[in-house]
Structure formats: structure tokens, C-alpha cells
Amino acid sequence: MNSTLEKLAEEYELPYLPEITTDQLPKELLPLLPLQWAKDFCVIPIQIEEKLHLAMSKLENFSIIQQASLLLNKELEPAFAPKECIISVLEKLELGAAADIPHEDNKKNTTSTLPQNDHNPPVTTHTAQPIFSDLLSDSDNQPITQFINNIILEAIRRDASDIHLEPEENGAVRIRYRLDGKLYDYQSSQPNQVLQIVSRIKVMSNMDITERRLPQDGMTQVRVANRIVDIRVSTIPVATGERVVLRLLNRDRSLLPLNHLGMPNNALEGFSNALNQPNGIIVVSGPTGSGKTTTLYSALGTMDSIRRNILTIEDPIEYRIPNIAQIQVKPKIGLTFASGLRHILRQDPDVILVGETRDAETAEIAVRSSLTGHLVLTTLHTNDAPAAVMRLTDMGIEPYLLASCLRGVLAQRLVRCVCPHCHEIADISTLPPHEAAIAEAAGAKTIAIAKGCPKCREGFIGRIGIFEFMPCTPNVAAAIHSGKLSANELRNIVANEPTWCAMKDDAAQKLRNHITTPAELIASIGQF
């Protein structure tokens, strides 16, 4: 057998290692290696003269190289080594470094409990969220299954928030990833594969594969080594077939400490003070995709969930939080925000999170709940903080009630951050006129120019929040109570409060600090 491997190595001009020494093991990659997966496929990463290779014992494992490259986030080249040699090294790693090298004990284990730590709270699954076997060791060799597995693996490697699968006229599927809020093309499938791809995703997310005329929503979870990824799936019929969007829910990104969101000090102080109140209502506003859910979950993370009864009603539940009861809205059976909120009040709550105030009935119950000794957190779709007050009064909330219960409104947006490795500092005179006007209005003398390098995406890495916080001080409450103010008039009144933070002021500060660019601010909040 070994002589056959040597001949294969010689034929393909690849390295052959009769034995593997510890010096050849890339120690920085070993903690990322799921040992059971490596044993199943009999492969191990090695380093030869500054080059990374994947040592394997048979020719068929060539297809595993892409998966290993995605898993380790490194480009690997093939190499050959005897099976007994690879297994011996893997067993030594398993026995001698089990405490240091995370790995899966059972690749077919389908429980959804992650190691309990600050970033991975326990996750409780239900029948609507089947967990499929590890994507890295999925034994299903069907081309469509492997194709979808690789799409998801690549999205996870790139830290994408969404995967868009868009049917084309020829039956192919165009695939795009949303990275830092922007869509990027990945690839397209072969023609006439749209039905197979959509059907496979529907099976994964427990949806009806025979229903192609109506939109559907589903959830699934997939395992990647020792990590479980929650995926929210939405399908909708279009002229060329069914369009699918997969939302990848990243716990590490969404369960952040409150002081890691990028709030300016006065906004953080005002928002924290509001969260410490025993009752009242706190509103987080902004458009879809502005990070409202992340902010709300971070707010819950500051509370004592052991000695306080915290309940949420959401659509959907994006992340499971330990010691907090979370309710999923189910309109088809009559469980709406309004009806669920009524029943929550019978559960002796201290804190209630309402995922979104969509109608007058929900708004009225939320406000009355806050007046009867509960702290209520909710979201609205408004452009700024003062507009949230106008929206609630438009929904029918009496100004005198709102003035009594409102504790504060936080409005927010997300902007991309320039790459710290490759950005350049330039004078604002080098900018196009409309961007120069933004920089000048922000008081910036110089700005950061996004250049682009192998470590970033078009000169940007990650996103940060732009915030506006309006406290409900006695002066603001009196103005709301009058019921005769516009959003602009309310903004003028609150501008004198010490914990008031205007979104444009926060944006200007982040521009002056070279965190983002004028073009990003224009795309996010418009002109100053």
C-alpha cells in the first residue's frame, strides 16, 4: 500500500512522508483541528519548508482539501503519508493534548448544547430546528448536498451575515454573501439546479418542499467541528423560481457586552441609567439591519437574570439566552405580540422584552405594563429618537401616559470600519465635493481612505454603531405631556440635556477619529 502511495506522489509530483514528526505539525493550527473528523478521513495538516500541506492516505481524499482549508482558514496543498502513520499521530494528539485541543467526541452527536461559557450559552432546540451532521464530515456524497455544505462553510469562514440564493433564467442559482452589510458575488450553480438546491434547503429547515407558490420561513442548525451555527431561512416565489435567504446567526457577534457596541460615553451612561430603572419603557429604534437586536440582547446581559424574572417575546428568537424565558411569536395559532404580552403579565415578570412594537394594541399593552411596575424594552422602525415619540403617539398612546413611562430612546445605525492595516490618512481637499462637505461639517481636517489589502474587504473590516440617545428627563417629559410638539421641536428641547447624544455628533466623532469614511456616513445617515 505504501509503495502505491509513493508512486502516486511521484506521479502527481507531491510530497510523500513515510513518517510525520512533531516538528512538521503546524502547532498554531492544531487547536482548530477536530480530531474525530481528521481520523474519519485520515488526514492531518503538516508543514514542509514554510508550506502548509494536508497529508492524506488515499487519492479519494483530494475533495477534503477544500473543507480543511475552510476549517483552518489556510490554503493547503496535498501530500501523502501512510494511513497508520497519520492515525498514530492523531491518537497521540488525542491522548496527550486532549485538554488543549478542542475536538468532537462524536461526529454524529446531534445534541445542541454548546460548552457553557460567556459566548456560548446553552441552546434549546425544537423540532423546527433539526441539527444536521457536521458539515465537515457529512457522509452524504450527493453533489447538491456537498454544494450547499460548501456554500455554508465558506460563508462561515468569511463571517457572512446572510447567504442569498437567487434563481436565474437558465435554472442556475446566483449566490451572494452579505459581508459587513454589503452584498458580494460568490459563484453560480450549474444550470437547472434551482429546484434541487431549494428542496435540499427546505429539507434542512423543516419546510414544505411541495409548496412553491407561497413564502415560507424556517430554522435549522448546522455543526462545524465544535461549533453550532443557527440559520434562519426564508423563501419567496419570484418569476424565475424561489428565492432563498439564509441568515447566519453569530452568537459571538450578537451577545456582546454593552460597552463593546461603540456607544459614546454620554449615550452609554444615559442608556445604562435607563436600564437600571425599576419600571418604565425603553425604546431602541432604527431601520432593519441596524443592530437593534444586538443592542437589546446586550442590555439583557447587564441584568441579574437569577434574581429577576426576565421574559421576552420575539419574532424570531435569534439566540437562546440562559435563565431568560423566550417566547416565539406564532400568528397562525393566534400567538401575536399583543396576545403573548398579555399572558406574560401573568408570569410575574420584572423585565419584558418585546421584539417589535408593530401595532397600536401591542404599544398600548407595553405602555400599560411599564406603568404597572415592569421594565419594558422594545424596538420601533423610526429614523431618529424624537421620531419614536411621535410614532407611539400616532399609534394612539396618550401623551400623558407616554410622558409618565418613557425612560429613554436609543436610535442607531451601522457603518463599516476602515481597515487599520492598510488605510491611509488624507486631507479632505482630496475628496469629492459631497464627501468633503460631510467631512467639513463634521469638523474633520483629515479623513481615512479605505485602500484594501488581504486582511480586509475593499478596505473595511467589521462594523460599528452610530448612536443617538434621548433621555426622558423632567423637561422632556413635560414637552411630551403637552402633546403639541413635532420631532424637531422635541429635538431642540432635549439638546440641552447632559446625556443627550445626537447621531450626527457621534458620526462626526467617529469620522474625526478615522474609524469610518464620509461615504459610509452618507450611506447610513445621509447628509449632515
Side-chain angles (χ1 to χ4, degrees):
M1 175 64 181
N2 293 348
S3 59
T4 303
L5 283 179
E6 287 187 75
K7 291 179 180 178
L8 282 174
E10 183 178 354
E11 179 181 351
Y12 287 97
E13 298 182 351
L14 296 175
Y16 174 77
L17 292 85
E19 61 179 358
I20 299 174
T21 65
T22 55
D23 294 337
Q24 294 171 318
L25 298 177
K27 295 180 176 56
E28 73 280 2
L29 299 184
L30 295 182
L32 304 176
L33 181 69
L35 294 182
Q36 186 59 53
W37 171 83
K39 289 171 69 176
D40 287 342
F41 291 101
C42 195
V43 294
I44 189 170
I46 57 172
Q47 187 167 345
I48 305 175
E49 297 178 354
E50 306 300 324
K51 285 188 177 181
L52 292 173
H53 297 259
L54 187 70
M56 49 196 176
S57 62
K58 53 185 178 180
L59 188 63
E60 290 82 357
N61 284 353
F62 265 108
S63 61
I64 304 303
I65 294 177
Q66 183 184 12
Q67 293 185 8
S69 298
L70 292 173
L71 174 64
L72 303 176
N73 200 21
K74 296 288 185 181
E75 292 297 328
L76 300 175
E77 297 183 6
F80 287 110
K83 178 178 180 179
E84 59 274 12
C85 174
I86 296 175
I87 294 297
S88 174
V89 174
L90 290 172
E91 288 178 346
K92 288 177 182 178
L93 288 173
E94 190 171 32
L95 294 173
D100 300 322
I101 303 175
H103 61 279
E104 289 296 317
D105 292 327
N106 186 353
K107 72 168 182 172
K108 297 298 182 184
N109 182 9
T110 58
T111 63
S112 62
T113 301
L114 293 174
Q116 295 186 24
N117 54 47
D118 291 341
H119 298 293
N120 291 322
V123 177
T124 304
T125 63
H126 49 79
T127 55
Q129 290 180 253
I131 302 179
F132 282 72
S133 59
D134 194 333
L135 294 187
L136 296 169
S137 55
D138 195 337
S139 59
D140 189 340
N141 291 320
Q142 292 294 323
I144 291 299
T145 300
Q146 292 299 323
F147 179 74
I148 293 172
N149 287 357
N150 287 335
I151 290 171
I152 297 174
L153 282 169
E154 180 66 14
I156 294 170
R157 187 184 74 82
R158 296 191 185 193
D159 197 24
S161 62
D162 301 85
I163 305 172
H164 288 237
L165 297 102
E166 303 162 1
E168 299 179 324
E169 291 288 347
N170 63 352
V173 177
R174 178 191 183 194
I175 299 157
R176 295 195 289 173
Y177 293 150
R178 187 173 293 279
L179 309 170
D180 293 336
K182 305 293 183 181
L183 284 171
Y184 294 86
D185 278 308
Y186 172 52
Q187 66 180 71
S188 293
S189 73
Q190 296 296 320
N192 302 316
Q193 286 189 326
V194 61
L195 288 178
Q196 295 170 282
I197 291 172
V198 174
S199 295
R200 170 60 183 170
I201 292 173
K202 285 182 176 180
V203 169
M204 290 177 64
S205 49
N206 203 28
M207 297 159 72
D208 185 355
I209 63 172
T210 64
E211 180 57 76
R212 301 189 183 114
R213 302 165 301 168
L214 297 173
Q216 294 189 66
D217 294 310
M219 292 285 290
T220 187
Q221 292 177 322
V222 296
R223 186 186 296 276
V224 181
N226 59 346
R227 174 184 177 189
I228 288 178
V229 179
D230 300 301
I231 302 178
R232 193 170 77 208
V233 182
S234 171
T235 68
I236 190 168
V238 295
T240 51
E242 284 186 277
R243 196 176 189 277
V244 183
V245 174
L246 292 80
R247 167 67 58 89
L248 307 182
L249 304 175
N250 186 332
R251 291 184 180 88
D252 292 344
R253 184 171 54 227
S254 291
L255 300 176
L256 295 171
L258 199 58
N259 59 357
H260 287 192
L261 301 180
M263 287 188 200
N265 291 335
N266 53 344
L268 181 60
E269 178 186 356
F271 189 57
S272 299
N273 289 341
L275 292 172
N276 289 328
Q277 298 299 312
N279 52 54
I281 186 167
I282 301 170
V283 177
V284 178
S285 71
T288 300
S290 60
K292 299 187 296 297
T293 300
T294 297
T295 299
L296 287 175
Y297 282 175
S298 297
L300 293 182
T302 67
M303 298 177 180
D304 184 357
S305 60
I306 302 298
R307 288 177 171 80
R308 301 177 81 180
N309 185 19
I310 304 175
L311 294 96
T312 78
I313 181 163
E314 307 170 58
D315 185 22
I317 297 172
E318 294 196 357
Y319 306 96
R320 307 299 196 273
I321 307 175
N323 303 317
I324 292 178
Q326 296 173 270
I327 301 169
Q328 168 70 56
V329 169
K330 297 176 182 176
K332 290 183 179 179
I333 60 172
L335 181 54
T336 62
F337 279 110
S339 64
L341 191 49
R342 285 196 192 92
H343 290 283
I344 283 176
L345 293 174
R346 300 169 191 165
Q347 291 282 317
D348 185 31
D350 295 302
V351 180
I352 304 170
L353 187 154
V354 182
E356 184 181 344
T357 300
R358 295 177 176 173
D359 51 51
E361 187 180 11
T362 305
E364 181 181 358
I365 300 172
V367 167
R368 293 195 179 276
S369 301
S370 68
L371 289 168
T372 54
H374 309 97
L375 183 63
V376 178
L377 286 67
T378 189
T379 69
L380 282 174
H381 289 138
T382 61
N383 288 329
D384 56 30
V389 174
M390 305 300 113
R391 176 67 57 82
L392 288 171
T393 55
D394 288 343
M395 285 182 174
I397 303 301
E398 293 292 344
Y400 73 90
L401 291 177
L402 188 57
S404 300
C405 70
L406 188 64
R407 298 292 176 260
V409 181
L410 183 77
Q412 63 183 78
R413 300 287 191 280
L414 288 176
V415 295
R416 291 186 296 174
C417 303
V418 293
C419 174
H421 306 288
C422 66
H423 77 271
E424 295 180 358
I425 305 301
D427 190 86
I428 64 172
S429 60
T430 62
L431 296 173
H434 64 291
E435 293 185 23
I438 291 287
E440 187 174 353
K445 302 297 183 183
T446 59
I447 49 90
I449 300 293
K451 301 298 290 184
C453 68
K455 297 181 179 181
C456 65
R457 304 183 188 101
E458 299 178 341
F460 295 93
I461 294 182
R463 291 189 290 177
I464 194 170
I466 302 291
F467 296 93
E468 175 172 277
F469 182 71
M470 185 188 77
C472 192
T473 61
N475 289 337
V476 175
I480 295 173
H481 189 280
S482 70
K484 299 178 181 179
L485 295 178
S486 67
N488 287 334
E489 290 171 328
L490 185 58
R491 177 180 291 275
N492 292 334
I493 291 172
V494 77
N496 297 319
E497 302 296 336
T499 52
W500 160 252
C501 170
M503 189 175 295
K504 290 181 179 179
D505 292 338
D506 186 28
Q509 184 63 47
K510 288 181 168 69
L511 187 63
R512 292 194 297 269
N513 290 344
H514 301 148
I515 294 174
T516 190
T517 67
E520 281 296 301
L521 296 184
I522 292 173
S524 178
I525 65 174
Q527 297 293 327
F528 271 51

